[in-house]
Amino acid sequence: MAMVTSGKDLGKGGIDVGKYVRYTPEQVEALERVYSECPKPSSMRRQQLIRECPILSNIEPKQIKVWFQNRRCREKQRKEASRLQTVNRKLTAMNKLLMEENDRLQKQVSQLVYENGYMRQQLHTASVATTDPSCESVVTSGQHHQQQNPTPQHPQRDANNPAGLLAIAEETLAEFLSKATGTAVDWVQMVGMKPGPDSIGIIAVSHNCSGVAARACGLVSLEPTKVAEILKDRPSWFRDCRSLDVLTVIPTGNGGNIELIYMQTYAPTTLASARDFWTLRYTTGLEDGSLVICERSLTPTTGGPAGPPAPNFVRADMLPSGYLIRPCEGGGSMIHIVDHVDLDAWSVPEVLRPLYESPKILAQKMTIAALRHIRQIALETSGEVVYGGGRQPAVLRNFSQRLSRGFNDAVNGFADDGWSLLGNDGVEDVTIVINSSPSKLLGTNVNSSGMFSSFGGGILCAKASMLLQNVPPALLVRFLREHRSEWADCGVDAYSAASLRASPYAVPGGRVNGGFFGGQVILPLAHTVEHEEFLEVIRLEGHGFGHDDVVLGRDMYLLQLCSGVDENAVGACAQLVFAPIDESFADDAPLLPSGFRVIPLDPKTETPAATRTLDLASTLEVGSGAASRPNSDSASNAYNQRSVLTIAFQFTYENHLRENVAAMARQYVRSVVASVQRVAMAITPSRLGAHIGTKNPPGSPEALTLARWISRSYRFHTGVELLRADTQAGDSLLKLLWHHTDAIMCCSLKASPVFTFANQAGLDMLETTLVALQDINLEKILDDNGRKVLCSEFSKIMQQGFAYLPSGVCLSSMGRPVSYEQALAWKVMNEEDSPHCLAFMFMNWSFV
């Protein structure tokens, strides 16, 4: 049967074929082979095709051109139809999810209305009873009611009795489903988590329940069995999971199984003990085809066997939790996740209890992390996520997990990993621990890596934790990442880099002045779908650094993991972890992570005196301006934000140099703590105003005045409006200037000009913040050609008021090259028409 193409096709350039063309199956097969190799062949390639395929000799080249055009059009339509079908399936599933959520909320409202009416009746009865001499009977009847509903007690159930464990499992299943799809917990939706086809899902946290709980509902394009496999592998996505051991597996008659699990988790800071869990996990299927994985702790109250003892852990309680995984029509799964735990908050210092009492922190660490991990795997499986550098996504994920795990190991310093405490120097602000069995942490390949010499040695970790007041965790970590030179010591970096080589190395005794590094360049490797975490290589550019036996005239490299820098993520932990690597960057290279972790503490109502005791900067001279506080409620909440910062740095040592390395590490961590305190002082909203360092423009009178001067001077010199505003109000001009698409920045008129202002595009281009902008001078960002052009045009700018600069390349504060099509420089005049500063506008800029 002959194949027929559509008649009277129009090719590019308006080619009118004007007739029907029939293709035989052999001709179509030949054309399809070429299309699979080259969907858009050139004219010469089409002519070559006719010569090489005799079966196409009776077809004109124009007809073949039209065939390829039509084929590309059909392919595009097919892809678009497939995309729309996928979106439609997502919307249908999300609509079903939202309808179920709406039904659940209606039940919750009905229950609350009933409880409200009942409470009103009780209050009315109590008020009447207070005037009645028989009020004692009311109290007695209340006590009798409580006695009728005691907490259910279960008899002790033996691990060898599957029937008893199955009864616990079925109870766990029922309680979990009542939380996942019912009203057993009063759920409140987290701020900023809006449902939609491209959102992570519906996220809610508990309100006024025992322990803390979080719940998530979402859609993923993986089948239920694959989702269940990923979720059960908790160490692969739960970064706080140290170990998970399945001690017993009991098959059940319905095709599922019961597992007895012992899990250890890391402590988030050095100031508290780690938690462990002894749980029963039940996996089963429901009649509607759904898969359920539910779990709860086994305690004397629930019954069941006792768990293994662990002297260095605090036993936490997992209340009925789990995963409901339902298949979607057309593929994919709908997931309901519930995490409900009691972390025994009373066993930690009072100031740290918010870490263990916050359902938002639980949601970020466990619930949202699980959903994000599944979405990441789904996108990688479908090929939608492609990373450069030739490394597979699983390899890059492994790097991230190893960095996070190595940092957690350093913070916790478990004795069974080989860590032991080293004596201090009389001041207990920095803890020093050593590990003489590094193979337990770094693996068996550590001995062949050259990290430890023939003298013998181990790993030394210096760590400290402190409380911060009024410092946004995301902003602090972002600053530490972008401005490493503000806190890092190049001598210590050189020592860490030299430890990767087998040659002996000296221990720096303090601040090193024998050399310097030219800056840092960030080389992105990978990031998660929502950019909440990214993996990167940091190149520290060396310029002839030398210290004693260390001569390092080449660049150094760090593998770095940064997460939690989104200031809108409620309860998210901000973290910066890095480890030295060599140029080979092998997949199994040993990593020795160090870094920072900042965890927000939920604000609580406190007296001013209590608040001040937590301000670590209170012992420093902050000036009279720090005492002023705004009057608005929103501002007062910002000033009561607290967070806990944990710092840990790891170093290798040789046995005969252990004390020297310990002294160096202790001094270094103290210097880093002092640097972080200075940074925290600089970026705290009480010093800068609530808008500094955020995406919103500063609203000080000085900024409003500067915006007016910039706009007026631009109009005066060029005759064109820079900011087209309907009103000339200062705040409107500042807002337009701040959100202008081109990078606009101002620098001082000095011998060495430094930047004094930049709009949001300018800050993005320079990769900095308003806080650090004043540390950047103009010469640092311009290349040689840019400096020459500016010098030649400077007199023109001062005489005529402005000058256009040709396209070129400049450098961000991170050392990344930035290209721009054109730049404009103009002189900014103040109210007395005197030169105030120099303004630049870089147009159509982009990172190279």
Side-chain angles (χ1 to χ4, degrees), residues 141-151:
S141 94
Q143 292 176 345
H144 177 68
H145 177 74
Q146 290 179 355
Q147 291 173 357
Q148 287 181 331
N149 297 278
T151 302

Side-chain angles (χ1 to χ4, degrees), residues 371-393:
L371 204 52
R372 279 176 173 158
H373 183 73
I374 297 171
R375 289 189 67 200
Q376 186 76 24
I377 298 293
L379 291 173
E380 291 173 1
T381 304
S382 65
E384 296 182 47
V385 178
V386 180
Y387 298 125
R391 296 185 188 268
Q392 295 296 320

Side-chain angles (χ1 to χ4, degrees), residues 46-89:
R46 292 194 300 270
Q47 293 176 4
Q48 180 186 1
L49 174 63
I50 294 174
R51 290 194 301 269
E52 293 176 351
C53 299
I55 59 175
L56 299 176
S57 59
N58 64 329
I59 302 177
E60 298 178 7
K62 292 181 180 179
Q63 293 291 349
I64 292 182
K65 178 179 181 181
V66 171
W67 185 92
F68 277 98
Q69 289 176 352
N70 290 340
R71 181 65 177 82
R72 289 194 301 272
C73 183
R74 290 196 301 273
E75 181 72 15
K76 184 177 180 181
Q77 290 174 344
R78 185 190 65 79
K79 290 181 178 179
E80 181 64 14
S82 176
R83 187 188 68 83
L84 292 175
Q85 288 175 358
T86 302
V87 173
N88 184 58
R89 284 197 301 268

Side-chain angles (χ1 to χ4, degrees), residues 684-720:
T684 179
S686 62
R687 300 270 300 165
L688 296 172
H691 295 296
I692 299 297
T694 68
K695 291 289 183 183
N696 298 318
S700 64
E702 294 82 1
L704 299 173
T705 302
L706 180 60
R708 188 170 64 252
W709 289 351
I710 292 172
S711 175
R712 188 189 63 180
S713 300
Y714 184 91
R715 181 176 64 250
F716 176 77
H717 295 311
T718 66
V720 180

